[in-house]
Amino acid sequence: MREFAWQIRQGLDILTHLIDPKAIIIAVEDNKPEALQALEIACQDKQDYRVVSVETKYPAGGEKQLIQVLTGREVPRSGLPADVGVVMFNVGTCYAIADAILNGKPLIERVVTVTYDAVNAPGNFKALLGTPVSHLLDEADYNPKKQKAPKVIMGGPMMGFTLSDATIPVVKTTNCLLVPAKKELVDDTAERPCIRCSACADACPASLLPQQMFWHAKAKEYDKAEDYDLFDCIECGACAYVCPSEIPLVHYYRQAKAEIRLQRDEKNKAEKAKQRFEARNERLEREKREREEKHRKAKEARLAANKAKEQRAAQSAATSETSVDSGASEAKDKVAAALARAKAKKAALQNTTSAPLKDVQGEEQASNSALTDKAPSNSPADDKKAQVAAAIARAKAKKAAKENTSNQPATPDNANDKTVSGVNDEQDDKKAKVAAAIARAKAKRAAQQNSAETPTTQSSSTADSDGEGQKRASVPEEKDVQPQTQQASSVEDEKKARITAAVAKAKAKKAAQQAAEDLPKQSETASSETSADDKKARIAAAVAKAKAKKAAQNASSAADESASKNTQNAGSENTRTTETQAPADEKKARIAAAIAKAKAKKAAAEKENQEQ
């Protein structure tokens, strides 16, 4: 303040420009009159700058204490001077601001006082920051012989602390180095128990209870020490200076404050970690909810897409079903037509084989029912005669069947049939047997009619000249039956024989016509099939043609033979039983048989022409 008062004034000008305060007060203790005079001279042209002196009383130079002395305002416990509208700067700070703003010189040096009896040349030194303490001691001519042990205190006698090593550098807060001689300062190791004198409480400038804070700090009961306003202590050292037990109270307070700050830092770290953890959990939950929401939306989108796809598929399926239904209906129609044609073909084949037999059986049943209705109750003799007549009829039918199978004429059609369907000989035999059965049925029916028409006499039919001897041998009572049979024949037998022959011819003609009508249908069906089935269809058609042709021929021949035999039998019986029969009846029967044969031949020829 004595040597650089003007530069301090320049620093004040800069701070005034920056802060624009209402009042500027420069306070100097009254034990420094030269410094006070130098500052008054430097600030005499500034009416706003007030240079005042204050009472020299430790620790009146402290920040909070000086503010209270100058303004009467008390800084709050955990507050700052700005909270009461005051800003305070040290004279060293004002000097550094002027150097930095006006000269561009940063804070790289500090004025340090080196004093006490252990140095031979005490004084004030302008030392660069980072200069070792040992270097300053060398400049002040340190004499270690004046000390029991090397001891250097950084700071004042009340608030300073002992350095553990002389190589520690100078820092911004280093303002004084004390090097005391023997017995110049109280030894810190001479601590004794507290006597509860309360001298520390009387000397405390902050009106605290240093004794209570000491007890709790020593017991590490930091929460109770805080209850006694530990952090309001300015660490001035007045309590330790006046303590008769020489207890270093300030050291206990500093250690307690450090521990409390460490705990607070750890607590703050834990709180921040907890906040970070909670924030992380919240973030994870939020991300999880967002993912779930995203997945839900994606699922809904997929479901909607699938639904739309299904709807489109259903529509396309409906359209395709309509087309398929139309195509299927057409295919079904074709299949139905093919089945109808096949059924017609099968019916035609069945008609050609079994229709004559069924008709004969039906007529037989009808005639039997009629005979049973008309016939009176027969005696045992009549029953015996009827059995003889039935045996004769069966023998005749058997002979006719043998003649049909052995004496079948070989026509070109039959030759063609053998070449086409040589593998179907068994079926041809079956048809021949059917024709024989038809002939036997007709013969049986004729025999029944003959027996029914004979009122009280024995009824039997005579066999032809070829099979008469055999039937007589097989039937022992034929000799007795034959005269009666010759007398019982009548004109009605000839008429019924003619009717039977006409029916057989008509049925043969109808079967031939149906076979001829089925041939074009079969050819159309075969042409509509695939190339793989064409050959089979053609073979089946040829076989059907041959079967129909053969069945027609067999039916016509059987009908002709049965008709001719019946007519011959009827003629022989008529000639044997009665000589009064007119030649005209025989001629009519022969004419009818010839007409039937001619019609059958004509139908076979027409059928062959159509096939060709």
Side-chain angles (χ1 to χ4, degrees), residues 290-300 302:
E290 291 176 356
R291 286 196 301 270
E292 290 177 354
E293 184 67 18
K294 184 178 179 181
H295 293 164
R296 185 182 65 80
K297 291 181 179 179
K299 184 177 180 180
E300 291 178 355
R302 287 196 300 271

Side-chain angles (χ1 to χ4, degrees), residues 494-532:
E494 296 180 1
K495 188 175 181 179
K496 289 180 180 180
R498 295 171 188 172
I499 292 170
T500 303
V503 169
K505 292 179 182 180
K507 288 181 179 180
K509 184 176 181 180
K510 185 176 180 181
Q513 290 177 357
Q514 288 179 354
E517 290 175 358
D518 290 335
L519 290 175
K521 295 181 181 179
Q522 293 174 359
S523 61
E524 290 176 0
T525 304
S527 63
S528 63
E529 298 294 330
T530 58
S531 60

Side-chain angles (χ1 to χ4, degrees), residues 346-368:
K346 186 176 180 181
L349 293 174
Q350 290 178 354
N351 290 330
T352 56
T353 57
S354 64
L357 179 61
K358 289 181 180 179
D359 293 338
V360 171
Q361 290 177 355
E363 293 175 359
E364 215 174 289
Q365 291 176 359
S367 62
N368 289 333

Side-chain angles (χ1 to χ4, degrees), residues 287-563:
E287 292 177 354
K288 183 179 179 181
R289 290 193 299 270
E290 291 176 356
R291 286 196 301 270
E292 290 177 354
E293 184 67 18
K294 184 178 179 181
H295 293 164
R296 185 182 65 80
K297 291 181 179 179
K299 184 177 180 180
E300 291 178 355
R302 287 196 300 271
L303 291 175
N306 292 334
K307 188 175 181 181
K309 189 182 291 183
E310 289 177 358
Q311 290 178 356
R312 291 194 297 270
Q315 292 177 357
S316 61
T319 55
S320 63
E321 282 179 1
T322 54
S323 61
V324 168
D325 290 339
S326 61
S329 61
E330 293 177 0
K332 287 180 179 179
D333 294 339
K334 293 179 180 179
V335 171
L339 290 174
R341 289 192 294 271
K343 288 180 180 179
K345 179 180 176 181
K346 186 176 180 181
L349 293 174
Q350 290 178 354
N351 290 330
T352 56
T353 57
S354 64
L357 179 61
K358 289 181 180 179
D359 293 338
V360 171
Q361 290 177 355
E363 293 175 359
E364 215 174 289
Q365 291 176 359
S367 62
N368 289 333
S369 62
L371 290 173
T372 55
D373 293 337
K374 293 179 181 180
S377 59
N378 296 324
S379 61
D382 296 334
D383 293 337
K384 188 175 181 181
K385 293 178 180 180
Q387 291 176 359
V388 171
I392 294 170
R394 284 195 297 271
K396 289 181 179 181
K398 192 178 292 185
K399 183 178 179 181
K402 289 181 180 180
E403 291 178 354
N404 288 331
T405 55
S406 59
N407 297 326
Q408 183 69 29
T411 60
D413 294 333
N414 290 333
N416 293 329
D417 181 56
K418 290 180 182 179
T419 58
V420 174
S421 59
V423 295
N424 296 325
D425 293 336
E426 295 179 358
Q427 295 180 359
D428 296 337
D429 294 338
K430 187 176 180 181
K431 290 179 181 179
K433 293 178 182 179
V434 170
I438 293 170
R440 286 195 299 271
K442 289 179 180 180
K444 184 177 180 180
R445 182 166 171 267
Q448 290 176 356
Q449 289 177 357
N450 292 329
S451 63
E453 289 175 357
T454 304
T456 56
T457 60
Q458 296 177 352
S459 60
S460 62
S461 60
T462 59
D464 55 356
S465 59
D466 295 332
E468 189 175 4
Q470 296 177 357
K471 297 307 173 185
R472 289 174 182 175
S474 62
V475 181
E477 296 179 1
E478 188 177 3
K479 295 179 180 180
D480 297 334
V481 175
Q482 189 173 6
Q484 296 176 0
T485 305
Q486 292 176 357
Q487 294 176 2
S489 60
S490 64
V491 181
E492 293 180 359
D493 294 335
E494 296 180 1
K495 188 175 181 179
K496 289 180 180 180
R498 295 171 188 172
I499 292 170
T500 303
V503 169
K505 292 179 182 180
K507 288 181 179 180
K509 184 176 181 180
K510 185 176 180 181
Q513 290 177 357
Q514 288 179 354
E517 290 175 358
D518 290 335
L519 290 175
K521 295 181 181 179
Q522 293 174 359
S523 61
E524 290 176 0
T525 304
S527 63
S528 63
E529 298 294 330
T530 58
S531 60
D533 298 332
D534 290 340
K535 188 174 181 180
K536 294 181 180 180
R538 291 171 185 171
I539 293 170
V543 171
K545 291 178 185 179
K547 288 180 180 180
K549 187 183 295 184
K550 188 172 182 180
Q553 290 177 358
N554 291 333
S556 61
S557 61
D560 294 338
E561 288 177 0
S562 62

